[in-house]
Amino acid sequence: CIQYLTARGGNIEMNGTHVQSPGYSDSYTLAETCTYNLLKIDKEVCFFRLDFVTFNIDGPSVTTASQTSWDCNTDSMTFTTPSSNAPPSLCGYNNGQHLYMDASVGLGSNPAMVITTAGTTYERIWQIRVDQIYCGELHTPPHGCLQYFMGASGTVTSFNYGYDNSFQQLNAQLYSVCFRREKSYCSISYQASVVGNSFSVSTTPANQKSRAGEFSCISDFLIIPRGTNGGAGSSCYSAKANTDSMPTTTQFQSHLQRYCHHRLNCYSGASSNSIIYSDLLPFKFYVELNGAEPTGTNGNRGFSLDFLQVHC
């Protein structure tokens, strides 16, 4: 049995409930605050999984006198989790995304999500499926993972990645993306997707090159543990921040963890993407986008990475 909730907030008490914008499938243009309380069916539930079947609310905005660039200043989706860090605030276009919320296993407290809309012109629509996940199941994520992907291959994108290069990554995004290790696989690879500007997380569109390592990636970056170009035929190199200066011998390394700017490559200053391999278990990477995006449209769409687990 599937329950559809189209009210302006309320309690979600049934597993598999679909939370829909008022008037779904028509667009929604009212200014409103919709609070949804996620009530566990059992105290032993470990996580709530939210699947964004459809999700399109007003996106991040550029700086004004009282606002910060690329924050969710108009519409937003926020979360509260009583016993752990809450997911980051979201807005914009997030069709097909998912996330996990800690359910405070063993406790009587429950998390909540709040969708706030401001202004009466943007045509919003959302449908979010809410599932409750017990501990110890095949699809239970490790604690601390905002997203959890199952299967040997797939694609992971940043929030508000959108459907063309006009979209902008969100501010203040700190979370982990985890992957279930499938049988007989010992490492995982990540490659920027072939469509669009699929890796762009810092600096400006004028600098279409890679940056890697702590010397180069100071603010916005991905952390890929023990990342390396693998079979690309060159070692990793971390340049000084915002330069393409040639390295000294001490800057060459076999692995680097931080990746940023406009190409995914563990050799700083490269003008093309590479395939980054990681053999550290469990399979995961970290997203660190700070709360200080520059003003104006800086071309930082975010990332779309194709992942592929590699046989032992």
Side-chain angles (χ1 to χ4, degrees):
C1 181
I2 298 177
Q3 180 183 37
Y4 293 89
L5 178 64
T6 57
R8 294 175 176 85
N11 293 333
I12 300 173
E13 303 176 271
M14 182 180 292
N15 202 11
T17 296
H18 286 244
V19 176
Q20 299 181 147
S21 48
Y24 188 91
S25 60
D26 292 331
S27 58
Y28 183 65
T29 57
L30 297 180
E32 193 74 68
T33 297
C34 304
T35 300
Y36 303 96
N37 300 306
L38 310 184
L39 305 184
K40 297 192 291 286
I41 56 176
D42 188 318
K43 285 186 177 181
E44 299 310 308
V45 169
C46 274
F47 297 96
F48 286 90
R49 176 179 167 120
L50 310 184
D51 281 284
F52 295 76
V53 180
T54 301
F55 190 89
N56 186 11
I57 63 177
D58 204 0
S61 56
V62 74
T63 290
T64 66
S66 61
Q67 296 175 332
T68 303
S69 283
W70 310 119
D71 279 341
C72 297
N73 293 314
T74 307
D75 292 356
S76 66
M77 183 179 190
T78 57
F79 309 90
T80 58
T81 50
S83 63
S84 66
N85 292 331
S89 297
L90 303 179
C91 60
Y93 182 93
N94 290 294
N95 285 7
Q97 292 279 13
H98 77 274
L99 62 82
Y100 287 82
M101 297 178 65
D102 192 287
S104 304
V105 61
L107 301 179
S109 55
N110 293 284
M113 60 184 186
V114 179
I115 298 178
T116 302
T117 59
T120 57
T121 58
Y122 194 84
E123 296 184 350
R124 312 163 181 93
I125 190 168
W126 63 82
Q127 183 184 96
I128 305 165
R129 175 170 174 145
V130 181
D131 288 297
Q132 304 194 27
I133 310 296
Y134 284 92
C135 297
E137 298 183 349
L138 286 176
H139 51 282
T140 303
H143 282 279
C145 299
L146 182 70
Q147 294 189 299
Y148 187 52
F149 289 85
M150 292 161 279
S153 63
T155 301
V156 52
T157 63
S158 52
F159 294 105
N160 196 45
Y161 183 76
Y163 46 80
D164 60 33
N165 288 337
S166 67
F167 287 83
Q168 175 78 29
Q169 70 187 17
L170 302 180
N171 232 357
Q173 301 284 297
L174 304 173
Y175 60 91
S176 299
V177 180
C178 304
F179 304 84
R180 187 180 67 186
R181 181 188 179 190
E182 302 302 329
K183 186 178 180 179
S184 300
Y185 291 90
C186 285
S187 60
I188 190 169
S189 67
Y190 307 98
Q191 183 176 21
S193 303
V194 297
V195 178
N197 193 9
S198 56
F199 187 80
S200 177
V201 297
S202 61
T203 197
T204 62
N207 190 336
Q208 296 289 314
K209 294 186 177 181
S210 66
R211 291 286 185 272
E214 293 185 0
F215 287 110
S216 301
C217 300
I218 307 300
S219 53
D220 295 342
F221 48 82
L222 304 188
I223 295 178
I224 301 176
R226 282 181 52 83
T228 177
N229 280 353
S234 63
S235 59
C236 296
Y237 153 56
S238 181
K240 295 179 180 179
N242 299 318
T243 73
D244 292 323
S245 61
M246 291 302 294
T248 65
T249 55
T250 58
Q251 290 172 307
F252 284 107
Q253 300 179 52
S254 60
H255 302 82
L256 289 173
Q257 295 199 115
R258 292 188 182 186
Y259 296 85
C260 62
H261 284 215
H262 285 255
R263 295 291 182 267
L264 181 64
N265 196 308
C266 84
Y267 193 94
S268 292
S271 58
S272 61
N273 291 307
S274 180
I275 302 175
I276 303 299
Y277 293 84
S278 173
D279 59 3
L280 191 68
L281 301 176
F283 298 151
K284 66 168 61 178
F285 68 80
Y286 306 89
V287 180
E288 293 199 18
L289 307 178
N290 68 12
E293 282 290 290
T295 60
T297 302
N298 58 22
N300 291 333
R301 183 180 180 184
F303 61 85
S304 175
L305 303 182
D306 299 328
F307 67 87
L308 177 65
Q309 296 189 26
V310 181
H311 279 283
C312 299

